[in-house]
Amino acid sequence: MKNETFTITPVAYIHNDFKEKFGIPRQSGRAPSALSRIVFAEGYRDESAVRGIEGFSHLWLLFSFSQTPEKNFSPTVRPPRLGGNERVGVFASRSPFRPNRIGLSCVELIAVEKTEREGCVLVVAGADLLDGTPIVDIKPYLPFADCKKDAVGGYAQRHENDRLQVSFPTSLLEKIPTAKREGLKECLADDPRPSYQEDGRIYGMRYGEFEIRFTVDNGILTVLNVDNA
């Protein structure tokens, strides 16, 4: 078999409040109130390319881990959900450190906005992508084919319900625009800390135009400060 190479061209880019990798939800759907806009690249702004898409509630996004440095192939990785110490096969993980740096994300389609400057823009919820991430393809989610009721989630399923309790003082929460508050709280509840988590340490997380500082103790995340980034 030939060792062929091929070129993939981004069809769109996603824009949202995740301005840095720290704080992005660990999987899609973990922050269902956080909205993103998918803006098509100039060569793909033909309105007919999304004809009929409104009939689907969810979409699959195939994207490039564009901010992940290229490395030589490693057959194993350290998933954060296993504490960053245990190794599993790269193809048994969703790690960004993979041969072709391709990611997969399921998002909810909220609206299709028709704009004069950017053509049709897809407004989606629950994305786990960094702002500016290139999208290489978009496909509709098909419940009858894609939802497997008896599916097993391996080691990842043990952390399905891992959530922190969030204590967000009203005076600080009011600094965040109303439409973004619930999405931010969902991201915090998903525990943005790295795998070597330390209770009591002060962390900083960028969300849109804000810098959120917080600490975690005994499963409770307490927001300490909200500043303009």
Side-chain angles (χ1 to χ4, degrees):
M1 183 179 293
K2 292 182 178 179
N3 185 18
E4 297 180 349
T5 60
F6 54 91
T7 301
I8 294 180
T9 302
V11 300
Y13 295 86
I14 197 165
H15 298 286
N16 54 35
D17 289 310
F18 303 128
K19 307 301 181 183
E20 57 186 21
K21 289 185 284 186
F22 184 83
I24 296 178
R26 298 181 186 276
Q27 300 291 341
S28 60
R30 299 285 288 182
S33 300
L35 299 182
S36 300
R37 299 174 76 249
I38 296 175
V39 179
F40 287 92
E42 290 191 11
Y44 300 93
R45 291 182 179 174
D46 189 324
E47 184 177 331
S48 61
V50 295
R51 183 186 302 157
I53 203 169
E54 298 97 334
F56 298 92
S57 65
H58 292 74
L59 304 172
W60 287 112
L61 306 180
L62 280 76
F63 62 94
S64 170
F65 288 107
S66 56
Q67 298 300 310
T68 300
E70 291 192 34
K71 295 183 178 180
N72 293 330
F73 172 67
S74 173
T76 62
V77 294
R78 295 187 177 98
R81 281 304 193 189
L82 293 180
N85 296 316
E86 185 177 342
R87 284 190 173 272
V88 301
V90 64
F91 299 125
S93 81
R94 294 195 177 188
S95 167
F97 298 99
R98 35 198 339 106
N100 289 310
R101 296 189 297 169
I102 297 296
L104 179 69
S105 183
C106 182
V107 297
E108 182 182 2
L109 178 61
I110 302 299
V112 180
E113 296 180 348
K114 296 182 180 180
T115 72
E116 184 175 342
R117 186 170 66 89
E118 298 173 324
C120 287
V121 174
L122 306 182
V123 180
V124 300
D128 55 344
L129 282 67
L130 182 70
D131 180 56
T133 293
I135 308 295
V136 300
D137 203 359
I138 299 171
K139 300 177 186 291
Y141 175 93
L142 303 179
F144 66 88
D146 296 339
C147 181
K148 308 299 181 183
K149 295 181 180 179
D150 298 324
V152 177
Y155 61 83
Q157 196 163 348
R158 300 199 298 266
H159 302 280
E160 179 181 2
N161 298 315
D162 287 1
R163 307 290 282 184
L164 296 175
Q165 179 181 336
V166 176
S167 174
F168 208 135
T170 302
S171 59
L172 297 178
L173 185 61
E174 289 177 345
K175 294 183 178 182
I176 307 295
T178 304
K180 296 184 178 185
R181 291 175 187 174
E182 195 61 33
L184 171 57
K185 289 192 291 183
E186 291 166 351
C187 291
L188 293 170
D190 200 34
D191 197 350
R193 296 176 298 167
S195 55
Y196 47 87
Q197 302 167 359
E198 297 179 13
D199 274 12
R201 176 178 171 181
I202 296 177
Y203 292 89
M205 169 184 150
R206 174 88 183 271
Y207 190 78
E209 63 271 33
F210 301 98
E211 182 75 19
I212 316 296
R213 296 207 170 272
F214 64 89
T215 189
V216 178
D217 189 36
N218 292 323
I220 299 175
L221 184 150
T222 302
V223 176
L224 303 175
N225 202 12
V226 175
D227 288 319
N228 291 324

